[in-house]
Amino acid sequence: MARTLITSALPYINGIKHLGNLVGSQLPADLYARYRRARGDEVLFLCATDEHGTPAEIAAQKAGKPVAEYCAELHDIQAEIAAGFRLSFDHFGRSSSEQNKILTQHLATKLAESGLIEVIEETQVYSVTDGRFLPDRYIEGTCPNCGYESARGDQCDNCTKQLDPTDLINPHSTISGATDLETRATKHLYLKQSNMRGALSEWIESKTDWPVLTTSIAKKWLNDGDGLQDRGITRDLSWGVPVQYEGAPWTGMDGKVFYVWFDAPIEYIACGAEWAAKQGFDDAAWERWWRTDKGADDVRYVQFMGKDNVPFHTLSFPVTMLGSNEPWKMVDYIKSFNYLNYDGGQFSTSRGRGVFMDQALSILPPDYWRWWLLSHAPESSDSEFTWENFQSSVNKDLADVLGNFVSRITKFCRSKFGEEVPAGGDYGDQERALIADLTEKVADYQSHMDAIDVRKGANALRAIWVAGNEYLQSAAPWSTFKEDPELAAMQVRMGLNLIGLYARLSSPFIPDTSGKLHTALALDTLDWPEDVAASLASLTPGHGFVVPDNLFAKISDEDREGWQEKFAGVRS
């Protein structure tokens, strides 16, 4: 049995994510996990909330709650929404877990032993009113280059000039508005990424099958300008993994935590440890997935993420893994995505623009959203969500092609033969031609799914649905019945078996709908149809079924217009 380890980029804790976040990592990861399970793989699919960093502290402060309590509440909310979209995580963990704390500190120690961590003294901006050092993006002022009054401490969004906080005119804290800012000396740990440039380059060059989007971003950060830079991996914060711990190879780091981008990817591994603990397993259960000396050498590890996360997963996290000189399982394939834009602009969490995951589920079932998002996944370029396109895709693909087929054949069978598979003649030339065509189409579908070509996979699945519709339209059992009821019975039997085939093949994309068909047809299993011909003969005469409820309601113009107006402005 093949073994596939899948991780999805960790959603940040401060609020509910929008559909662009969903399609950029978690949803395609779930598609692939479901597909690999259906093909018989042993799969471990892991994700977690990313809970450390300044934004979490500020969000908790605004909510009037202790940060630990706030993160626990938001984790539960995100887990519930993920379940609503049928994301089939084996474990949905938390980067604030004890397992991640232990592993982060362990790996930091190993990196220090490898000579890859250096203590650096630097000056940073301190807010007396806030009582804290301020990250660059929480300092705003007037840009000295263009005069833009809301330039951040790292960059001016108006003229794009790179800045230091001390460059700003009249700087203030965006947390409190305080202007009593001063520079103070502080010490931090730096990860000497530049020392690993050669090893990283060799590793990335060996990944000849990676998407161009992934490798181009990695090589840009590795080679452009001054190349890969050393990176600070600690912050002056209270919420996070403590930098000073028993056995730490440094002193004087009290009151500091590891930078969120250092500990968050480590949570992938720690999430496996959380999963094992929750299941009551020992460490060997997760180590066989993550350590090549404990059995992970035969694991294929696939990561899913948006393009903005690629540098950290192709450079920083691999530095941690390789630099530790321990036998960690390295990623085999990174599937990265461009951005999904919204109705002529961008999704915006801060401005509440677009459709957020909880809102989406409040107006339509998950399969509607899963189908549109996956069939329009932003793989080769950015893609755009428009309500007109969403309405058209749902109505044509789901309601007209799949839903209408199921409704027509089951209702016709009930009216002429009752609610059981009818007996009749054997499959003829038309049916054998259909089986041959579908065998090719299923092979095509599988090849795209194996390659994690999400949109091509969706198109191939739709082509399989269409082939059944074309058969039904051509065979026209409702006409055949008038002259040859036995021949019509055979055609209906083929139609019912096509529904069974669709239920099996469609489960990675639209699992709820597959489940409804599984129940309605009283299928033994939803096992993958490795033999199309056998699958199309599996429902035999006398097998009982029930006519399912309408699978997909069409989206009306009135609904579309109402939603378009509702989600145009600020989230209420």
Side-chain angles (χ1 to χ4, degrees):
M1 180 185 292
R3 300 170 62 213
T4 304
L5 173 63
I6 299 171
T7 60
S8 164
L10 311 186
Y12 199 67
I13 196 68
N14 64 337
I16 295 167
K17 306 299 123 182
H18 55 63
L19 295 182
N21 300 133
L22 177 63
V23 76
S25 58
Q26 291 176 302
L27 187 55
D30 177 72
L31 175 78
Y32 190 60
R34 288 178 177 275
Y35 173 69
R36 292 309 333 164
R37 291 190 194 107
R39 297 305 304 276
D41 287 13
E42 183 184 3
V43 171
L44 185 62
F45 178 23
L46 301 173
C47 189
T49 40
D50 179 4
E51 300 188 7
H52 294 143
T54 303
E57 291 190 352
I58 293 174
Q61 185 178 8
K62 287 181 178 178
K65 297 178 180 178
V67 64
E69 178 184 329
Y70 171 83
C71 289
E73 289 182 7
L74 266 293
H75 171 270
D76 290 347
I77 290 171
Q78 291 203 23
E80 182 180 358
I81 295 172
F85 277 97
R86 309 299 183 253
L87 303 180
S88 59
F89 304 126
D90 289 289
H91 186 68
F92 186 60
R94 304 181 60 188
S95 69
S96 61
S97 69
E98 182 66 17
Q99 289 89 341
N100 196 36
K101 171 186 171 183
I102 292 169
L103 190 56
T104 297
Q105 292 173 341
H106 167 80
L107 285 168
T109 300
K110 289 297 180 183
L111 289 166
E113 291 173 357
S114 299
L116 291 173
I117 287 184
E118 184 177 7
V119 179
I120 299 289
E121 183 172 300
E122 56 190 13
T123 57
Q124 290 185 352
V125 175
Y126 185 88
S127 168
V128 177
T129 296
D130 295 315
R132 66 191 297 165
F133 286 94
L134 296 177
D136 293 350
R137 66 189 180 118
Y138 286 95
I139 306 164
E140 285 189 1
T142 301
C143 175
N145 185 54
C146 71
Y148 180 59
E149 293 183 353
S150 297
R152 296 194 317 267
D154 55 354
Q155 182 178 352
C156 175
D157 288 337
N158 185 56
C159 68
T160 73
K161 183 177 178 61
Q162 299 290 311
L163 299 170
D164 287 321
T166 52
D167 296 331
L168 295 174
I169 301 168
N170 300 323
H172 64 271
S173 163
T174 62
I175 300 173
S176 63
T179 58
D180 53 349
L181 309 183
E182 59 189 48
T183 57
R184 292 186 181 182
T186 183
K187 291 182 178 180
H188 283 289
L189 303 182
Y190 269 68
L191 182 60
K192 298 168 71 173
Q193 296 185 138
S194 57
N195 287 21
M196 295 290 291
R197 186 180 180 281
L200 282 174
S201 180
E202 182 179 348
W203 177 66
I204 291 167
E205 289 294 341
S206 72
K207 303 301 181 181
T208 56
D209 64 334
W210 280 10
V212 172
L213 179 63
T214 301
T215 53
S216 61
I217 293 173
K219 290 178 181 179
K220 178 180 178 64
W221 279 61
L222 196 62
N223 300 317
D224 283 7
D226 295 327
L228 188 63
Q229 299 296 299
D230 296 345
R231 188 176 187 87
I233 59 168
T234 56
R235 293 292 187 268
D236 290 290
L237 299 171
S238 59
W239 174 244
V241 176
V243 178
Q244 199 61 57
Y245 50 91
E246 185 177 350
W250 43 70
T251 58
M253 293 290 165
D254 298 281
K256 300 180 190 292
V257 299
F258 284 102
Y259 180 37
V260 62
W261 263 114
F262 181 71
D263 81 84
I266 296 170
E267 168 59 17
Y268 291 140
I269 308 172
C271 188
E274 294 170 47
W275 160 79
K278 186 176 181 180
Q279 301 298 321
F281 301 150
D282 60 17
D283 287 346
W286 69 265
E287 289 174 341
R288 66 187 287 267
W289 290 97
W290 281 109
R291 289 186 64 104
T292 56
D293 62 336
K294 301 290 182 68
D297 51 338
D298 65 347
V299 168
R300 174 171 163 79
Y301 175 23
V302 183
Q303 294 177 348
F304 289 79
M305 69 196 65
K307 61 184 177 183
D308 53 329
N309 287 344
V310 168
F312 301 100
H313 290 76
T314 56
L315 302 172
S316 299
F317 186 38
V319 165
T320 299
M321 302 277 270
L322 293 170
S324 72
N325 288 317
E326 293 186 316
W328 297 108
K329 172 63 188 176
M330 301 293 292
V331 65
D332 294 296
Y333 191 82
I334 297 178
K335 177 68 176 182
S336 53
F337 291 86
N338 290 284
Y339 295 139
L340 176 68
N341 294 317
Y342 178 75
D343 218 9
Q346 292 183 328
F347 279 93
S348 173
T349 299
S350 60
R351 291 191 296 273
R353 186 175 188 278
V355 187
F356 290 75
M357 290 171 66
D358 59 336
Q359 296 170 327
L361 292 175
S362 73
I363 60 175
L364 286 171
D367 280 358
Y368 290 69
W369 300 105
R370 288 178 64 102
W371 174 254
W372 190 90
L373 290 167
L374 291 167
S375 61
H376 294 77
E379 291 176 293
S380 58
S381 62
D382 291 353
S383 58
E384 182 171 12
F385 178 93
T386 69
W387 286 102
E388 291 82 3
N389 185 284
F390 178 67
Q391 177 191 29
S392 174
S393 181
V394 165
N395 290 354
K396 290 180 180 178
D397 296 350
L398 298 181
D400 288 345
V401 178
L402 179 59
N404 187 50
F405 177 87
V406 172
S407 178
R408 290 172 77 190
I409 197 66
T410 55
K411 289 180 178 177
F412 178 74
C413 183
R414 180 175 62 184
S415 69
K416 301 301 182 183
F417 303 103
E419 290 188 316
E420 64 178 39
V421 178
D426 296 328
Y427 289 163
D429 290 344
Q430 188 174 13
E431 288 70 36
R432 284 190 286 271
L434 174 64
I435 291 170
D437 178 51
L438 286 174
T439 298
E440 290 184 5
K441 282 182 165 59
V442 170
D444 182 52
Y445 175 46
Q446 290 175 176
S447 69
H448 293 312
M449 296 294 280
D450 289 339
I452 323 180
D453 288 330
V454 177
R455 291 178 74 149
K456 290 179 180 178
N459 289 336
L461 177 59
R462 187 184 187 279
I464 292 168
W465 297 342
V466 168
N469 275 270
E470 291 174 345
Y471 165 78
L472 194 62
Q473 199 64 28
S474 175
W478 38 87
S479 298
T480 307
F481 184 80
K482 300 172 185 176
E483 305 294 333
D484 191 344
E486 186 169 301
L487 177 59
M490 180 273 291
Q491 293 168 339
V492 168
R493 190 165 70 251
M494 169 59 84
L496 293 172
N497 273 291
L498 282 168
I499 296 174
L501 181 72
Y502 295 166
R504 294 177 172 92
L505 294 174
S506 304
S507 59
F509 281 90
I510 45 175
D512 279 7
T513 303
S514 290
K516 290 176 183 177
L517 297 178
H518 174 268
T519 300
L521 266 64
L523 300 174
D524 291 338
T525 68
L526 278 177
D527 288 350
W528 196 259
E530 301 293 348
D531 183 333
V532 172
S535 180
L536 290 174
S538 60
L539 294 182
T540 55
H543 180 92
F545 71 91
V546 296
V547 175
D549 292 334
N550 186 28
L551 294 179
F552 300 101
K554 285 196 170 185
I555 297 173
S556 68
D557 290 345
E558 183 179 6
D559 282 337
R560 171 181 56 78
E561 290 166 1
W563 294 333
Q564 195 161 9
E565 181 178 355
K566 179 178 180 180
F567 297 111
V570 177
R571 177 185 172 96
S572 58

